[in-house]
Amino acid sequence: DAKTTQPNSMESNEEEPVHLPCNHSTISGTDYIHWYRQLPSQGPEYVIHGLTSNVNNRMASLAIAEDRKSSTLILHRATLRDAAVYYCILREYGNKLVFGAGTILRVKS
Amino acid sequence: GAVVSQHPSRVICKSGTSVKIECRSLDFQATTMFWYRQFPKQSLMLMATSNEGSKATYEQGVEKDKFLINHASLTLSTLTVTSAHPEDSSFYICSAPRGGTNEKLFFGSGTQLSVL
């Protein structure tokens, strides 16, 4: 499985945008970029995913670099409920999801 | 609402007993389900891929006789921790893919297993 690199932790102020980076320099052409998040004592929750083009949904936006070697998850207005561990994962269609260490996002009020 | 239901959410058992954890997909069929375990302050570790009607595929280092997986129907997979010991205490989570071409995974709420 291709690997991703994320910062261990990040901090944000409430109501401000948050940009969570992810490097995946060994990504292959068939790898989808997935983002999941996990709140304490809960199972992970799907956030967003994409292949080549930028993606938007009601939770977040995903900006993918042109060479696909990096991506950024954008939370447009962080709330206290967004405090979680965010995982950036490369996944071939239909394949298993292998989690890395993720980024701990702390949101300050 | 939840699309993957996991039960029980918490279980405490004595050393040497077996514990069964259920994972159900609600309103959709899942020919494949994934089982993870997670220790405190650590990431999720994939244990096995559960396949409906056939044997599960275990990740390297996971004992198949210790962690029995059964996927007897398109909506139910079970994980049985046999002869549990304190080192098996962990957070166990199941997931199932739902959707079309670009499928996303839905996760259960997890089962906290404590072995005394």
Side-chain angles (χ1 to χ4, degrees), chain B residues 1-107:
Chain B
V3 295
V4 173
S5 173
Q6 190 172 339
H7 180 80
S9 58
R10 180 178 292 273
V11 58
I12 301 172
C13 69
K14 292 183 179 178
S15 188
T17 60
S18 294
V19 174
K20 181 187 282 188
I21 302 169
E22 292 188 349
C23 181
R24 293 181 185 275
S25 58
L26 307 177
D27 299 326
F28 71 101
Q29 295 179 335
T31 56
T32 300
M33 290 186 178
F34 301 100
W35 286 95
Y36 295 83
R37 68 187 296 183
Q38 185 176 32
F39 292 108
K41 307 273 187 214
Q42 294 188 23
S43 185
L44 283 79
M45 185 196 82
L46 180 65
M47 299 176 66
T49 302
S50 172
N51 303 299
E52 189 269 333
S54 64
K55 290 182 179 179
T57 304
Y58 290 82
E59 295 298 304
Q60 194 171 10
V62 177
E63 300 175 57
K64 57 183 68 177
D65 294 330
K66 173 78 171 175
F67 300 100
L68 300 180
I69 291 172
N70 183 278
H71 195 151
S73 80
L74 288 170
T75 59
L76 174 65
S77 175
T78 61
L79 168 68
T80 302
V81 183
T82 62
S83 186
H85 291 285
E87 58 266 29
D88 298 322
S89 298
S90 187
F91 192 53
Y92 292 86
I93 309 167
C94 69
S95 72
R98 176 188 182 186
T101 305
N102 297 325
E103 51 195 57
K104 55 187 179 185
L105 264 62
F106 288 88
F107 287 79

